[in-house]
Amino acid sequence: MKFSEKWLREWVSPNITTEQLSEQLSMAGLEVDGVEKVAGEFSGVVVGEVVECAQHPDADKLRVTKVNVGEAELLDIVCGAPNCRQGLKVMVAKVGAVLPGDFKIKKAKLRGQPSNGMLCSFSELGLSDDHDGIVELPSDAVIGADIRDYLQLEDVTIEVDLTPNRADCLGLKGLAREVGVLNSIAVNELQVNTVAVTINDMRAIVLQAPADCPRYLGRIVKNINLDSKTPLWMVEKLRRSGIRSIDPVVDVTNFVLLELGHPMHAFDNDKLQGDIVVRLAQQGEKLTLLDENEVELNAETLVIADQEKALAMAGIFGGLDSGVTETSRDIFLESAFFAPDMIRGKARRYGLHTDASHRYERGVDPQLQRTAMERATGLLLEIVGGQAGPIVEAVSEQHIPQAKQVSLRQTRLTKVLGLAISAEKVSDILTRLGFEVNFQNEVWTALVPAYRFDISIEEDLIEEIARVFGYNQIPNIAPVASLHMSKHQEQKIQLNELKQCLVNNDYQEAITYSFVDPKVQALLFPQATPLVLPHPISVEMSSMRVSLWPGLLQAVSYNQKRQQGRVRLFESGLRFIPDNSDKTGVNQQAVIGGVITGLVSDEHWGQATRPVDFFDLKADVERLLAITGRKDFRFVQASHSALHTGQSAAIYCEEQCVGYMGAIHPQFEKKLGLSGRTFVFELEISLLGLKKLPQSKEISKFPANRRDIAIVVDDDKVVGEILSCIEKFGANQLVGLNLFDVYRGKGIDPGYKSLAISLVLQDKSRTLEEHEIQTFVDGILAELSAQFGASLRD
């Protein structure tokens, strides 16, 4: 939003400098992006009158003039402007004048004719880029007056960058109100008089979409004269606000837009057929806009139409066929309130952005339409003449935004701001902002004005008080707070502990999408019924994952295709299991999973290379489970739809399955783009339970004794169960247990295997005797024989 400082000071003029005004606006949330002078640096330019204007004898495009600048003698000046004529009031740069760019005016001869000065255009004085001709000043301009004084060029243009919630400041009226509040001074309210109705011409208005356009006003103005010129004062105010003068009708609507912040539009009345209809466009309906581009409308676009065709995109852009041209004599003025939700985003959808759409999509005052209509009509009649018809208004009161009432507690205000502001000051601030305020029992009840769409809760009022009072006036007081120990359960397993364990084991953390390719997921989990997104990014990302494996396996495939043969990844996140018993319809389970493939370690001259296998992954999972400090986890052979039979296991904690691990089934490797054997695991974090905290115990002073046994058992016996049996048997004196060899081959019958196990025995109170140790070993062998049919190897 650009505006002239002098124009603003016509509304409200605090006793502060331009710099202070800019700082004040920025600190109040209306950030000033730039301050620029409205004209270039020049001097010696005055108002003059062309007394004589004749053709140059030796140049077709030059004219020889005599100009009165209020001095004893007329100035001879040669001019090339096509609009130069006798009786015209012009800007004259006299000899000795200095124009922008340090261009000095001297006496000269042009094609033999003396020229003692120059008649200036806007561009030559740095006022604008318009260089089509010399400036035509009003006939009442005082000859000899300095142009800088006459046009009040000691002025600046201020540009503010408004946030979307402050649409009320997209006009001088709203900006002046803000400046008045910030300086606690009165604002000169604009007096808008009701225009006398002199004709009875009117058009009926039909609201077919009242929710989208709850108020629409229209008025016919006849017999206007578009040969009239827009007054220079209006042209200058528009120019200093960044808008170029076009014709009186457009200039007036733009002026009201800047002055009141309310967009308006004018139609050529002779081009309209019947009543005005505010409706939604028909799908595929075409409209040629004022910029001569044709758009194809969709059924969600609001249009202004007559009985035959669409005339304009409501609140966005007018149509070419109904636009006002230089031949127009009768016009139809519109002033409407469009619901912000209807306009929001529509302009961008058609590749448009207009001053009207910028304001309508943020919200205009729903009570301002009649004032804007009367103001525009009055200016038009003053400039182009004509007769005004009655205002026709169509309104749907139930769809007009209703006034909101918001309460503000004095205690809450003091607590949030950290200081106490007097009740009188708060009431004054809210009243000047336009609120109707009532203060009782330390609570302000404020009726929000229609133009403040952004005020709805108590915190909004607190923000208003803070910014108007001044953020820089709120003292910097360090908060005083006592520290309390946070409630932390030491036994709870922290996710970062699990992550760090995997990182220490050469894994890299991956982050994949929570939505996956349904085809890939169906391969691995055919029995699962995943949640399907109603509006997915793509077909390949349309299902919520029921496991981390699909994302991790795709990451492995991606890396392998880029010559990364050894991949070790892990991920933590949620999996989404449909659950009708949950009110949300989904059970979100926090899990951690991993995948390994390729070699056990990077190639090295000091060690042999081999590919990873089931037991490499099992070792990693065991290290992960070891964080819990518990020994009640067990791996049980189990089948899984995604894993290779015989190389998969379920992981149990007591009787609860906490996850699975194993090799991806070979039938899926090619379909998933995998190269070589790939092993995966996944654990549900909440089922890992609580950690077993370490407890101190006495270290035995007596020596430990090691005994090795080699037993022969059936090949299908599970080693983990055998080791568990030994642990239970020797709970008191067994301090070390290790399987250090598995043998099949010569000397062992087919279908059997030999297990070599070391036992470390120790007592805390004494040295164990040899016969005690042997008795212990014999007891273990007897127990193994009874439970597993084990025999001592010869």
Side-chain angles (χ1 to χ4, degrees), residues 705-720:
N705 296 272
R706 171 170 170 159
R707 293 292 186 271
D708 295 342
I709 60 173
I711 60 173
V712 178
V713 296
D714 291 341
D715 212 4
D716 59 354
K717 298 301 180 183
V718 179
V719 175

Side-chain angles (χ1 to χ4, degrees), residues 449-516:
Y451 49 81
R452 290 305 299 269
F453 290 86
D454 58 321
I455 304 297
S456 59
I457 60 176
E458 185 177 36
E459 282 68 20
D460 295 332
L461 292 180
I462 295 175
E463 182 181 2
E464 291 297 293
I465 300 300
R467 70 180 188 83
V468 174
F469 182 78
Y471 294 120
N472 51 0
Q473 294 190 53
I474 299 176
N476 295 323
I477 302 175
V480 178
S482 58
L483 297 178
H484 299 281
M485 292 296 292
S486 61
K487 293 182 179 179
H488 175 70
Q489 188 176 9
E490 190 177 359
Q491 287 182 284
K492 186 176 180 180
I493 298 173
Q494 301 297 322
L495 178 60
N496 280 340
E497 292 181 276
L498 302 177
K499 289 184 176 182
Q500 190 60 52
C501 175
L502 291 171
V503 169
N504 292 341
N505 283 285
D506 206 18
Y507 283 74
Q508 301 287 331
E509 184 172 12
I511 299 176
T512 65
Y513 287 104
S514 296
F515 20 89
V516 298

